[in-house]
C-alpha cells in the first residue's frame, strides 16, 4: 500500500495530525501498537487548557528541592537508579526554569494555547464528540497563604492575554463545588479552560472521523520503520505500507524509532499515575479541582472521580511505584468523599518531556543538522499533550502541505537542539 503519509502514534497528537492531513486530501495511514487513545492520552486530568501559560518548572529554592529530595512533596517522586542518567537533562531543565526564561516560555507557549479551545471545538464538531466537553474552567485550591501568593504572580501576564481568573474565599469555592470539604484556606477559579469526561474517548472519536473520511488505522510496531528510496516503509498487521512522509508522534517511545536514523533529542519522561473512585453519598464534582500543595488533581470522568498524581522521575519502562497515589489519596479523602477504588491496579503513563519544556514540532534533523527528507516530529508536549494535540495537528499539517502556518513554528523546531 502506497500513501502520502504514515503517522506513527495514535494518541491525541498523532490522531490530530492524521485527521488534519486527511482533511487536506492526503492519503494517510495511522499506526499504533494499540487502539487510538489507549496509551498516554488516556490517563490525564482531562483539561483543555487555556490558562496554564506558565510551565511545571523545576524547583529553584533550596527548601523546595529538599522537600523533593526527602520525599516530603507529594507532587514528586524519583527512582535513585534513574538519577545518574537524568543529571544532564535535569540540569538543562533547571536552567530553563530560571525566572527570565519562564517568562519567555510563557510568551511562546501562549501562541499555541490561544488556539487550544478552538481547535478542539473544531475537531469535536466534525467528529461528533461535543458531548465529552464541558465548560466551567478549573478550580485551584491552596492550603497556605504562601501558595496563594505564588499563584497571584501569574495574574498580571495572564490578564495581558485576556485570561479570566478570580480569587475565592473558602465559602465561595464551596458554593461552586458543594461536596468539597473546607480543607483549604483559599482558591482561584480559572474560567477559560474546558475539560472532558474521557480523554481517551475524545481521541477515539477523532480517530473514527479520520477513518470515516477514508483514513486507515493499522496495528504495527513503529520500530520497524525503514528508509525506502526517497520515502519510508514499515510492516503492519495489514501488510507493508510505503509513504513519502512519516510523522513520529510516539510521545515517550519516540527515541526508539528516531535513534536508528541518527536523530538525537534530549527526551525524558515524567511518569504519572491515576485511579478512579466511586463517590460516597452521591457526592459530585462539576470541574477538575487541583490541590496545589497536596500534589494531585481530582476530576469527574465517565468511570468515576479520577485522581491524577504529579511527577515521577524514573526510567520509562521501570516497574510501577505508585507511592504518590497512596500519599495523595489519603490527602484527597479529607477534601472530597472518595469511595472505593474502581480499578484493581493504578494506571501509569509517561509524559514525554524536553528540558526547555516546549514541544518539538517540525522536520527532523540528523546528526550533522541536515534535514531527513520526509521525517517530521510532533513530540515532547509534557503536561499539555491533550490540550495541544489538535493545534499541533493543524500546525504540522500546514507545514507539511506548504501552507502559511497558523503559529510561528520556529520556537518549536526540533533543530533547536542541534
Amino acid at each position: 500500500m502506497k500513501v502520502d503519509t504514515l503517522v506513527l502514534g495514535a494518541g491525541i497528537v498523532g490522531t490530530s495530525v492524521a485527521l488534519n492531513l486527511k482533511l487536506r486530501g492526503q492519503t494517510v495511514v495511522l499506526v499504533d501498537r494499540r487502539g487510538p487513545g489507549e496509551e498516554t492520552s488516556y490517563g490525564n486530568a482531562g483539561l483543555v487548557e487555556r490558562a496554564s501559560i506558565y510551565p511545571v518548572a523545576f524547583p529553584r529554592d533550596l527548601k523546595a528541592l529538599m522537600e523533593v529530595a526527602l520525599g516530603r512533596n507529594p507532587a514528586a517522586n524519583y527512582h535513585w537508579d534513574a538519577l545518574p542518567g537524568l543529571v544532564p537533562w535535569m540540569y538543562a531543565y533547571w536552567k530553563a526554569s530560571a525566572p527570565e526564561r519562564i517568562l519567555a516560555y510563557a510568551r511562546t507557549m501562549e501562541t499555541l494555547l490561544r488556539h487550544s479551545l478552538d481547535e478542539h471545538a473544531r475537531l469535536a464538531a466534525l467528529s461528533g464528540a461535543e458531548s465529552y466537553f464541558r465548560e466551567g474552567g478549573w478550580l485551584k485550591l491552596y492550603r497556605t497563604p504562601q501558595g496563594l501568593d505564588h499563584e497571584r504572580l501569574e495574574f498580571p501576564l495572564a490578564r495581558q492575554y485576556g485570561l479570566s481568573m478570580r480569587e475565592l474565599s473558602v465559602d465561595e469555592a464551596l458554593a461552586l463545588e458543594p461536596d468539597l470539604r473546607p480543607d483549604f484556606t483559599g482558591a482561584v477559579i480559572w474560567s477559560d479552560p474546558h475539560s472532558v469526561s474521557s480523554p481517551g474517548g475524545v481521541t477515539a472519536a477523532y480517530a473514527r472521523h479520520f477513518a470515516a473520511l477514508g483514513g486507515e488505522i493499522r496495528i504495527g510496531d513503529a520500530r520497524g520503520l525503514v528508509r525506502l528510496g526517497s520515502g519510508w516503509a514499515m510492516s503492519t498487521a495489514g501488510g507493508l505500507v510505503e509513504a513519502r512522509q512519516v510523522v513520529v508522534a510516539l510521545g515517550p517511545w519516540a527515541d526508539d524509532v528516531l535513534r536508528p536514523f541518527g536523530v538525537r533529542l534530549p527526551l525524558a519522561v515524567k511518569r504519572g499515575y491515576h485511579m478512579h473512585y466511586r463517590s460516597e453519598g452521591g457526592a459530585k464534582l462539576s470541574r477538575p479541582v487541583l490541590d496545589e500543595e497536596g500534589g494531585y488533581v481530582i476530576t469527574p470522568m465517565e468511570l468515576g472521580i479520577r485522581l491524577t498524581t504529579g511527577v515521577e522521575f524514573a526510567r520509562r519502562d521501570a516497574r510501577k511505584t505508585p507511592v504518590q497515589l497512596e500519599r495523595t489519596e489519603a490527602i484527597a479523602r479529607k477534601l472530597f468523599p472518595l469511595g472505593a477504588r474502581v480499578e484493581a491496579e493504578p494506571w501509569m503513563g509517561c509524559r514525554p518531556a524536553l528540558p526547555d519544556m516546549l514541544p518539538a514540532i517540525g522536520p527532523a534533523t540528523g546528526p550533522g543538522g541536515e534535514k531527513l527528507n520526509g521525517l517530521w516530529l510532533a513530540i515532547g508536549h509534557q503536561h499539555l499533550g491533550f490540550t495541544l494535540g489538535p493545534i499541533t495537528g493543524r500546525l504540522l499539517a500546514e507545514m507539511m502541505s506548504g501552507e502559511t502556518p497558523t503559529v510561528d513554528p520556529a520556537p518549536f523546531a526540533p533543530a533547536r537542539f542541534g
Side-chain angles (χ1 to χ4, degrees), residues 319-347:
R319 63 182 178 84
K320 289 182 181 180
T321 51
V323 294
Q324 290 168 282
L325 187 64
E326 304 296 333
R327 295 172 187 164
T328 55
E329 179 183 310
I331 299 170
R333 288 186 182 280
K334 298 177 182 178
L335 179 71
F336 184 83
L338 295 175
R341 290 183 171 189
V342 173
E343 296 111 336
E345 293 289 332
W347 180 91

Side-chain angles (χ1 to χ4, degrees), residues 46-381:
L47 274 162
V48 181
E49 260 295 11
R50 175 67 185 93
S52 289
I53 54 176
Y54 285 91
V56 179
F58 195 93
R60 293 187 64 86
D61 64 88
L62 183 59
K63 180 182 178 182
L65 285 169
M66 289 304 297
E67 286 180 346
V68 173
L70 297 173
R72 295 173 181 169
N73 184 338
N77 189 44
Y78 57 89
H79 289 189
W80 279 105
D81 61 356
L83 293 184
L86 282 171
V87 166
W89 185 91
M90 296 184 83
Y91 178 61
Y93 181 23
W94 177 80
K95 289 197 298 181
S97 299
E100 65 276 7
R101 292 186 65 180
I102 289 290
L103 188 60
Y105 164 96
R107 289 170 174 157
T108 298
M109 189 58 79
E110 200 278 333
T111 65
L112 288 175
L113 286 170
R114 72 179 64 162
H115 300 283
S116 61
L117 300 180
D118 289 343
E119 287 305 307
H120 259 292
R122 181 174 69 92
L123 297 189
L126 291 171
S127 306
E130 298 100 325
S131 61
Y132 289 107
F133 287 78
R134 56 180 173 246
E135 298 181 5
W138 73 320
L139 186 64
K140 295 186 179 184
L141 306 181
Y142 295 90
R143 296 172 175 273
T144 66
Q146 293 80 10
L148 188 54
D149 286 344
H150 188 267
E151 181 75 354
R152 291 189 184 110
L153 296 176
E154 298 187 14
F155 292 178
L157 186 63
R159 290 193 178 103
Q160 286 184 34
Y161 293 122
L163 300 174
S164 301
M165 80 297 296
R166 182 165 60 95
E167 286 190 44
L168 304 175
S169 67
V170 172
D171 287 342
E172 289 171 327
L174 295 177
L176 284 179
E177 296 291 348
D179 291 319
L180 292 178
R181 295 162 177 157
D183 192 37
F184 56 99
T185 62
V188 175
I189 179 73
W190 291 81
S191 301
D192 300 282
H194 293 178
S195 59
V196 302
S197 59
S198 174
V202 170
T203 306
Y206 294 175
R208 286 193 297 272
H209 186 61
F210 164 74
L213 294 175
E216 188 158 345
I217 301 171
R218 292 194 180 185
I219 299 297
D221 186 340
R223 293 173 296 182
L225 181 71
V226 296
R227 296 295 298 266
L228 187 66
S230 60
W232 303 84
M234 68 168 289
S235 294
T236 71
L240 184 71
V241 179
E242 300 177 20
R244 293 186 299 104
Q245 303 183 102
V246 61
V247 177
V248 175
L250 289 162
W253 298 280
D255 267 350
D256 295 352
V257 173
L258 295 176
R259 285 187 176 274
F261 299 106
V263 179
R264 297 287 191 271
L265 291 177
L267 188 69
V269 299
K270 295 179 175 182
R271 305 203 318 178
Y273 299 83
H274 84 226
M275 174 59 71
H276 291 96
Y277 301 82
R278 296 185 178 89
S279 297
E280 290 184 345
K284 295 179 180 180
L285 289 176
S286 56
R287 58 179 59 78
V289 175
L290 168 67
D291 182 346
E292 181 73 63
E293 291 151 300
Y296 65 90
V297 177
I298 49 174
T299 187
M301 293 282 181
E302 287 183 341
L303 291 178
I305 300 297
R306 177 181 291 185
L307 187 155
T308 59
T309 70
V311 171
E312 180 178 72
F313 289 106
R315 294 189 179 97
R316 184 191 67 191
D317 300 324
R319 63 182 178 84
K320 289 182 181 180
T321 51
V323 294
Q324 290 168 282
L325 187 64
E326 304 296 333
R327 295 172 187 164
T328 55
E329 179 183 310
I331 299 170
R333 288 186 182 280
K334 298 177 182 178
L335 179 71
F336 184 83
L338 295 175
R341 290 183 171 189
V342 173
E343 296 111 336
E345 293 289 332
W347 180 91
M348 187 198 78
C350 298
R351 308 173 183 98
L354 293 160
D356 64 359
M357 297 171 281
L358 298 172
I361 306 169
T365 56
E370 73 280 5
K371 287 186 179 180
L372 299 173
N373 288 339
L375 180 59
W376 300 81
L377 306 183
I379 56 175
H381 292 75

Side-chain angles (χ1 to χ4, degrees), residues 21 24 393-407:
L21 289 170
R24 285 163 173 77
R394 175 175 177 172
L395 174 59
L396 194 63
E398 289 169 342
M399 296 171 69
M400 295 173 69
S401 303
E403 302 172 24
T404 300
T406 300
V407 175

